[in-house]
């Protein structure tokens, strides 16, 4: 019993290793980490090393690329038709509304992809020719659609020798239209708010201080105290000497009556203090 | 006010005006630097119609020089101890203050519209890159130069060209992104044309250009806005002291 399980395990492992060595029997996406592995209209696949293991001199590997919804249609057409399958659905009209929705394009000679040179590096770009006009050119796929691929082994007489399985569904990226990008104001930065508020407050303060200053200076002019300064007084006659020719002061107190001489109207100031 | 204190105040006014004159002249020079646009990124703001950062720079050129001249006049008016001259000085400075405020606020506000996030720049690039109009040619030239010099691709990365519809994609379905995204040798030829076409990350630039564009436009904005703001704060202080001086004159 033990040997039985060991043998089972060994055979399972050998099968796993054998399939691990070669490629799966259908197209797969490249294992490289390219940025454009799957775009809206192109796909990058691994090159078909070791997909078809049979000897077939002069045979070529072709790729069927189309909408996954057309898989059954293609299989039915291939089984039933006897005409050249390569021109079943030319690329220029392949994806029109009532068309087949698949096209065929040449990948390379079978001898270019031998099993012993298998590596994960080489890639094949589906859609490399852009929008082209050949019957079997490698044109771009419809934007954002779900596509499936299949390899065909075609011999020199253009007859189908073998075909791989269909690949899994590969959904192309749908292009986001530009009008959905909102390019309006996202948020106001803090710096802008600070600058605006402080400057507005500063302008208001300045205006206020300016008006206060004008008020203060204008009002001070109107009702201030008048300071009057006395200039020198002009007197017509200035009696400095209390004696005229007549009297000697140290002589006689009897001349007191002459006081009148010192206070006549002619000796008093006539215009008064000059106001400033 | 005592004569000694008035003289002291006069010297303060003269000194502040001298500093403000120098600051105004520096604002003039910085605003000229912004207006000349040495990084040549004007088309990004011009095509979108949001070029008020540069409009703010032009206003700052005039207000900076006006500050310089008026502050020199202010020094003269203070030394002359003349009230009418000081009043003229105050009014003119206030008008220039208003214009400079407008310049600083406009530049700061407009920057938020342009480079608050990468959407506007990205949308503009996708719409105008490769377009045959005058604006398209300007944008194409600008982006090519930025991508080659700064070694970047797209606004946020090369994925911008794959995820979004663009004029380039409609015109040229075989190229996923512009050739300027690819690394080049010193002889300017592409390092690996096929690798760049499929997106081999070692053959093309994978970082986005938005950080660089945002940093340059922010640099312009802060030159006009923040430096203008600091000049205005100095002038505010100078004007308050000048008003005090005016009140105590005569």
């Amino acid at each position: 019993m033990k040997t039985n399980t060991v043998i089972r395990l060994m055979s399972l492992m050998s099968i796993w290793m054998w399939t691990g060595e070669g490629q799966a029997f259908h197209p797969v996406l490249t294992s490289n980490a390219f940025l454009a592995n799957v775009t809206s209209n192109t796909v990058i696949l691994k090159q078909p090393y070791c997909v078809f293991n049979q000897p077939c001199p002069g045979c070529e590997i072709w790729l069927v690329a189309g909408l996954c919804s057309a898989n059954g249609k293609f299989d039915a057409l291939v089984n039933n038709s006897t005409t050249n399958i390569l021109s079943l659905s030319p690329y220029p009209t392949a994806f029109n509304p009532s068309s087949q929705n698949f096209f065929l394009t040449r990948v390379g000679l079978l001898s270019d992809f031998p099993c012993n040179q298998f590596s994960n590096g080489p890639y094949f770009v589906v859609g490399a020719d852009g929008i082209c006009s050949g019957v079997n050119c490698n044109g771009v796929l419809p934007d954002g659609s779900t596509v499936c691929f299949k390899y065909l082994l075609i011999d020199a007489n253009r007859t189908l020798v073998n075909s791989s399985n269909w690949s899994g569904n590969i959904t192309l990226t749908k292009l986001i239209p530009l009008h959905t990008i909102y390019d309006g104001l996202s948020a106001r930065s803090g710096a802008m708010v600070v600058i605006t508020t402080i400057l507005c407050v500063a302008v208001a303060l300045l205006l206020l201080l300016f008006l206060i200053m004008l008020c203060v200076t204008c009002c001070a002019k109107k009702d201030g105290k008048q300071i009057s300064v006395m200039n020198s007084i002009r007197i017509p006659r200035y009696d400095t000497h209390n004696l005229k020719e007549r009297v000697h002061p140290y002589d006689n107190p009897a001349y007191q009556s002459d006081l009148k001489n010192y206070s006549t109207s002619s000796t008093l100031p006539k215009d008064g203090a000059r106001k400033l | 006010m005592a004569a000694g204190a008035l003289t002291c105040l006069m010297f303060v006014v003269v000194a502040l005006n001298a500093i403000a004159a120098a600051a105004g002249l520096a604002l003039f020079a910085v605003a000229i630097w912004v207006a000349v646009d040495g990084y040549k990124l004007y088309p990004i703001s011009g095509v979108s119609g949001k070029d008020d950062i540069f409009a703010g720079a032009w206003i700052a050129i005039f207000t900076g020089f006006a500050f310089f001249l008026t502050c020199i006049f202010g020094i003269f008016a203070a030394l002359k101890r003349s009230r009418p001259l000081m009043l003229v000085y105050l009014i003119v400075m206030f008008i220039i203050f208003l214009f400079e405020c407008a310049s600083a606020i406009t530049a700061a506000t407009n920057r938020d519209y342009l480079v608050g996030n990468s959407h506007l720049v990205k949308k503009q690039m996708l719409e105008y890159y490769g377009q045959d109009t005058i604006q398209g040619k300007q944008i194409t030239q600008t982006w090519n130069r930025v991508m080659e010099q700064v070694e970047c691709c797209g606004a946020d990365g090369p994925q911008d060209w794959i995820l979004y519809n663009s004029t380039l994609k409609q015109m040229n379905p075989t190229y996923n992104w512009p050739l300027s995204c690819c690394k080049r040798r010193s002889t300017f030829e592409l390092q690996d044309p096929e690798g760049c076409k499929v997106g081999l990350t070692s053959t093309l630039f994978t970082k986005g250009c938005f950080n660089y564009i945002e940093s340059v436009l922010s640099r312009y904005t802060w030159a006009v806005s923040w430096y203008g703001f600091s000049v205005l704060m100095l002038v505010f202080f100078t004007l308050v002291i000048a008003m005090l001086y005016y009140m105590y004159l005569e």
Side-chain angles (χ1 to χ4, degrees), chain A residues 34-36 40 128 130 175-176 178 181-182 185-186 188-189 192 198-199 202-203 206-207 210 213 217, chain B residues 83 91 94 97-98 101 112 117 119 123 159 162-165 169 174 176 198-200 229 232 236 243 246:
Chain A
F34 293 146
L35 291 174
S40 65
L175 283 180
I176 304 174
L178 281 183
I181 304 179
Y182 176 64
L185 182 67
S186 55
R188 298 198 182 275
S189 60
M192 173 256 160
I198 295 184
L199 284 181
V203 167
L206 260 186
L207 195 60
F210 190 68
M213 175 195 84
T217 49
Chain B
R83 254 195 176 183
I91 292 174
F94 184 67
F97 192 94
L98 285 176
C101 273
D112 292 344
N117 59 22
H119 294 167
K123 186 171 182 179
Q159 285 80 358
I162 297 180
L163 290 175
Y164 293 92
N165 196 5
K169 192 138 205 133
T174 44
N176 287 315
V198 294
L200 181 58
F229 175 78
L232 285 174
F236 176 81
M243 282 190 229
Y246 175 87

Side-chain angles (χ1 to χ4, degrees), chain A residues 32-42 44 123 125 127-131 140 143 173-214 216-218 220-221, chain B residues 50 83 87 90-91 94 97-98 100-102 104-105 108-109 111-113 115-117 119-120 122-123 126-127 158-159 161-167 169-170 173-174 176-177 194-195 197-201 204-206 222 225-226 228-229 232-233 235-236 239-240 242-244 246-247:
Chain A
N32 291 317
F34 293 146
L35 291 174
N37 271 347
V38 176
T39 66
S40 65
N41 53 11
T42 62
I44 303 185
Y123 54 88
V125 179
D129 290 344
I131 299 174
V140 289
D143 278 352
T173 53
K174 206 152 183 58
L175 283 180
I176 304 174
L178 281 183
H179 65 80
T180 57
I181 304 179
Y182 176 64
D183 58 352
L185 182 67
S186 55
R188 298 198 182 275
S189 60
M192 173 256 160
V193 174
V194 165
I195 290 176
T196 310
T197 49
I198 295 184
L199 284 181
C200 289
V201 167
V203 167
L205 264 179
L206 260 186
L207 195 60
L208 194 65
L209 290 174
F210 190 68
L211 291 173
I212 291 175
M213 175 195 84
L214 283 178
V216 167
T217 49
C218 278
K221 242 186 240 189
Chain B
K50 295 185 181 10
R83 254 195 176 183
L87 190 62
L90 284 171
I91 292 174
F94 184 67
F97 192 94
L98 285 176
E100 180 54 35
C101 273
I105 294 175
T109 312
R111 176 213 162 266
D112 292 344
Y113 278 99
V115 291
N117 59 22
H119 294 167
L120 187 139
K122 188 189 319 202
K123 186 171 182 179
L126 293 168
E127 191 178 333
Q159 285 80 358
W161 297 102
I162 297 180
L163 290 175
Y164 293 92
N165 196 5
S166 63
T167 305
K169 192 138 205 133
Q170 302 305 319
T174 44
N176 287 315
W177 35 70
E194 287 308 313
K197 212 166 171 181
V198 294
L200 181 58
T201 48
L204 85 162
F205 307 123
T206 49
W222 302 148
S225 246
W226 276 122
F229 175 78
L232 285 174
M233 289 297 103
V235 166
F236 176 81
L239 289 181
V240 169
M243 282 190 229
L244 258 174
Y246 175 87
M247 279 200 325

Side-chain angles (χ1 to χ4, degrees), chain A residues 16-25 46 49-51 53 115 118 120:
Chain A
W16 174 80
M17 283 176 64
W18 177 79
T19 50
E21 257 180 33
Q23 197 180 284
F25 194 51
K46 268 189 197 170
Y49 280 93
C50 217
V51 173
N53 239 337
C115 235
F118 175 81
N120 276 321

Side-chain angles (χ1 to χ4, degrees), chain B residues 139-160:
Chain B
I139 292 286
T140 308
Q141 225 177 6
T142 306
W143 272 96
N144 278 341
R145 193 188 42 252
V146 168
M147 290 198 282
E148 282 161 20
Q149 281 180 0
V150 182
E151 296 184 354
C152 56
C153 181
D156 293 324
Q159 285 80 358
D160 287 345

Side-chain angles (χ1 to χ4, degrees), chain B residues 124-222:
Chain B
Q124 186 190 69
M125 171 189 81
L126 293 168
E127 191 178 333
Y128 287 103
Y129 189 96
Q131 208 185 64
D132 213 13
T133 57
I134 299 175
Q135 298 147 313
K137 291 197 180 107
Q138 281 180 343
I139 292 286
T140 308
Q141 225 177 6
T142 306
W143 272 96
N144 278 341
R145 193 188 42 252
V146 168
M147 290 198 282
E148 282 161 20
Q149 281 180 0
V150 182
E151 296 184 354
C152 56
C153 181
D156 293 324
Q159 285 80 358
D160 287 345
W161 297 102
I162 297 180
L163 290 175
Y164 293 92
N165 196 5
S166 63
T167 305
L168 185 73
K169 192 138 205 133
Q170 302 305 319
M171 279 173 43
N172 207 344
T174 44
Y175 282 100
N176 287 315
W177 35 70
L179 285 176
S180 301
C181 283
C182 304
K183 289 189 182 166
R184 291 171 190 267
R185 297 204 196 97
S186 52
T187 54
F188 201 66
E189 54 187 34
L190 293 178
Q191 211 178 64
D192 184 359
E194 287 308 313
C196 184
K197 212 166 171 181
V198 294
L200 181 58
T201 48
S202 61
T203 61
L204 85 162
F205 307 123
T206 49
K207 75 174 182 197
C209 298
F210 176 69
N211 276 341
Y212 169 78
I213 293 174
E214 189 264 332
S215 76
V216 168
L217 288 176
S218 289
R219 208 174 298 172
Y220 286 161
T221 306
W222 302 148

